[in-house]
Amino acid sequence: MIQRERLVKDFDAMAQLTAPGEGINRLAFTDADWAGRQYIIDRMTDAGLSVEIDDFGNVIAYKIGKKPDLPVVMVGSHTDSVPNGGNYDGVVGVLSAIEVIRSMTDDGYEHDHTIAVVSFMCEESGRFGNATLGSKAMRGELRLQDLYRLVDKQGISLYEALKGRNLNPDGIEEMAYKRPVKSFTEIHIEQGKVLEHEQKTIGIVTGIAAPERFYVTIRGNADHSGATPMHLRHDALCGASKIILGIEEIASMQEAPPVVGTVGVVEVTPGAMNVIPGSVKIGVDIRSISKVARNSVITLVKEFIDITADKRGLSYTIEPIAQDHPVAMHPAMIREIEEAVKSVGVEYMTMPSGAGHDAMHWAEAVPTGMIFIPCRDGISHNPAEFAEMDDIVKGAEVLDKVLRKLSLEETKLV
C-alpha cells in the first residue's frame, strides 16, 4: 500500500535540493536540477528499478513484467522548476510513481506489462523559453537546429547545456523512444483553483491546452528624453505597452472555447531613465484547448501588432519559439481513472487542463490520461505553491490502482 511516511521523506528531501533564492530553483540542467535528478535516480534504484538514461538526459526506470515483450505501461512527470517556483509542480508525478512501484513490491504484485517510470528533463520553459523539451525529445520532435536555436539569458544554448552534462545532443534526431508503449499516465497538481473551489480531491483531465509562443521585438528611436518633444518620439516601450494591453483584450474577447494570452517577458533597451526606449522584446504565450480558437486570437494579435507599429512609426519582427498542439485524453484512460477514483472513495470531477504537460506529447501516439490533485489557492510556479499530503497520498492511491490495472495484459484500451 502507499506509505505516507516515505512520500513525506521524499518531498522534504527534494525541497532541500535547490539553488539559492526564494522558493525552489531547479532550472533545467543546472547543478540544482542535476542534484534533484540524482535523488530521483537513487530512489528508483532503491525501489529495485533498472535505470536507463537517454541522450537528452531523460531518466527511464523499468519494473520488468512477466511478459517483457509486451508494450510498456509508462508513467512520469518532471522535477525541474521555474525560477522561484514550488516543490510540487511535476515532483508529485515522479515521486508518486516511484511510491506506486514500492507499493507494488511491498504487496508482491505481479503484472504482465513492464512499467516504465520516467523523469523528463526540461519540462519548464524558464531557462530556454520552450517547454516539455524532454518529452519532445523522446517523441522525436526535436531537431539539432532547435538545440542551437534555444538559448538562455546567459547566452548558453541548449546544445551547450547538454554537452556540459556529458549527454549526446548530436544524436537528438535519432533518439526517439523505440519501445512500444501501451499507455501513458501523469499525475500533477492542478495549478488552478477549480478543485479547491469545488471541494474535490481528484480531477480527471479530459484535454490539455497547448501554447504557441513567440518573441516580438519592437524598434523605435533611442532619443534623449529631455530634448525630444512628445510628438516627435518613436518610443518602443509605449508601443510595446499598447501591444501588451491589446493581447489581454483580444484574448478576453474569445469566450467559448476560452483563450488566454500572457506577456511574461519584457526586455527594454537601452534601459536608462534619460533615454527613450529604442527597442523592446516581449515574450508572448497564447494557449487554448482549441487550436482553432487559439489560432484565431494569434491572427488578431499579429494584425494588432502591425497596426500599432504603423501608427507609431515603429518596426517589428516576430520570432517563433514553440507551437504545441492541444490534445484530448483517451476515453478509455478517462474511464480507467474514474473507476480507480471510485474504488478509492473520494470526490472527483472531470476537467480540462489549462497548463501544458509532458502528457500532451504522448497523447498523439498512445492512450494517455492525467490525474489532478488540488493545490492551495490554485497557486503554482510560485514559492507559495503547496499541496496537502493527504491529497498527494490519495492521488498516489488512485495512480496505484490505475497502473496495476493497466499493467495486466487483459486490460484493453479501446
Side-chain angles (χ1 to χ4, degrees):
M1 67 186 299
I2 299 298
Q3 297 290 331
R4 179 190 181 99
E5 294 77 14
R6 289 188 299 218
L7 283 168
V8 169
K9 181 180 178 181
D10 285 340
F11 277 93
D12 287 346
M14 286 296 290
Q16 305 305 312
L17 300 172
T18 176
E22 188 178 6
I24 300 297
N25 292 278
R26 285 195 296 263
L27 269 68
F29 301 108
T30 61
D31 289 347
D33 181 36
W34 227 240
R37 177 179 178 273
Q38 187 60 52
Y39 182 84
I40 294 301
I41 291 172
D42 291 344
R43 299 293 76 71
M44 289 172 165
T45 303
D46 291 346
L49 301 177
S50 57
V51 177
E52 294 180 0
I53 309 295
D54 69 15
D55 287 341
F56 197 83
N58 294 310
V59 181
I60 307 132
Y62 296 100
K63 185 177 190 298
I64 308 301
K66 293 186 294 181
K67 298 182 178 181
D69 291 336
L70 292 175
V72 301
V73 170
M74 187 176 286
V75 57
S77 194
H78 67 98
T79 60
D80 66 313
S81 80
V82 299
N84 306 121
N87 195 42
Y88 299 88
D89 174 3
V91 179
V92 165
V94 179
L95 291 182
S96 294
I98 294 172
E99 177 56 27
V100 166
I101 297 300
R102 294 186 293 217
S103 170
M104 289 180 177
T105 301
D106 290 345
D107 296 345
Y109 185 76
E110 295 187 348
H111 48 91
D112 301 313
H113 293 265
T114 291
I115 301 172
V117 179
V118 185
S119 182
F120 295 102
M121 293 303 300
C122 200
E123 193 273 350
E124 300 290 1
S125 62
R127 183 171 180 187
F128 295 104
N130 199 328
T132 59
L133 289 171
S135 48
K136 286 174 181 172
M138 281 187 71
R139 292 287 304 125
E141 297 173 5
L142 288 182
R143 297 291 173 262
L144 188 58
Q145 64 187 30
D146 296 322
L147 307 187
Y148 286 109
R149 176 177 59 86
L150 297 171
V151 178
D152 69 11
K153 292 180 180 179
Q154 283 69 48
I156 299 170
S157 69
L158 179 54
Y159 181 93
E160 292 170 316
L162 291 166
K163 276 285 191 182
R165 291 297 173 187
N166 297 315
L167 298 169
N168 181 27
D170 293 302
I172 192 69
E173 296 184 19
E174 289 78 41
M175 71 152 288
Y177 191 69
K178 303 300 191 299
R179 296 184 64 163
V181 179
K182 178 181 182 178
S183 62
F184 180 83
T185 311
E186 183 172 5
I187 182 171
H188 206 280
I189 59 170
E190 179 196 350
Q191 300 181 282
K193 303 178 181 179
V194 177
L195 288 174
E196 187 177 65
H197 180 267
E198 298 296 328
Q199 297 183 315
K200 306 294 186 184
T201 303
I202 297 291
I204 304 175
V205 178
T206 55
I208 303 175
E212 180 164 340
R213 292 181 173 136
F214 51 91
Y215 288 124
V216 183
T217 301
I218 303 104
R219 297 181 179 86
N221 294 332
D223 295 319
H224 195 287
S225 65
T228 309
M230 297 302 291
H231 70 287
L232 296 179
R233 296 180 177 217
H234 299 284
D235 188 323
L237 181 56
C238 287
S241 300
K242 182 76 172 178
I243 290 167
I244 292 168
L245 292 172
I247 291 170
E248 178 188 49
E249 184 174 352
I250 292 166
S252 299
M253 290 167 56
Q254 175 68 38
E255 295 182 353
V259 176
V260 293
T262 305
V263 175
V265 173
V266 180
E267 299 174 359
V268 181
T269 304
M273 291 185 69
N274 62 343
V275 183
I276 297 166
S279 175
V280 176
K281 183 177 183 178
I282 62 174
V284 183
D285 178 311
I286 298 175
R287 62 179 76 195
S288 175
I289 288 289
S290 165
K291 184 177 179 181
V292 172
R294 184 189 71 182
N295 289 351
S296 175
V297 166
I298 289 170
T299 297
L300 292 174
V301 165
K302 290 182 177 179
E303 289 176 355
F304 183 75
I305 292 170
D306 190 68
I307 291 169
T308 301
D310 183 64
K311 282 184 177 180
R312 292 176 170 270
L314 305 169
S315 64
Y316 70 92
T317 55
I318 296 177
E319 175 190 353
I321 298 298
Q323 187 181 56
D324 295 327
H325 303 294
V327 294
M329 298 294 95
H330 196 283
M333 290 292 287
I334 293 174
R335 290 196 300 271
E336 292 294 341
I337 295 170
E338 187 171 26
E339 287 182 13
V341 175
K342 288 179 179 178
S343 68
V344 171
V346 294
E347 294 291 321
Y348 73 96
M349 62 183 292
T350 57
M351 62 190 301
S353 171
H357 300 284
D358 289 301
M360 64 190 183
H361 298 288
W362 295 92
E364 298 172 350
V366 302
T368 297
M370 277 202 78
I371 302 163
F372 275 172
I373 64 167
C375 52
R376 186 170 59 195
D377 297 327
I379 295 172
S380 183
H381 287 184
N382 186 298
E385 177 182 282
F386 179 78
E388 294 286 352
M389 187 53 62
D390 285 348
D391 292 332
I392 294 172
V393 169
K394 288 298 181 185
E397 290 174 353
V398 171
L399 182 65
D400 189 16
K401 291 185 178 296
V402 169
L403 293 182
R404 290 185 189 223
K405 181 83 176 293
L406 293 176
S407 62
L408 298 177
E409 187 178 13
E410 65 192 41
T411 303
K412 308 298 183 184
L413 297 172
V414 294

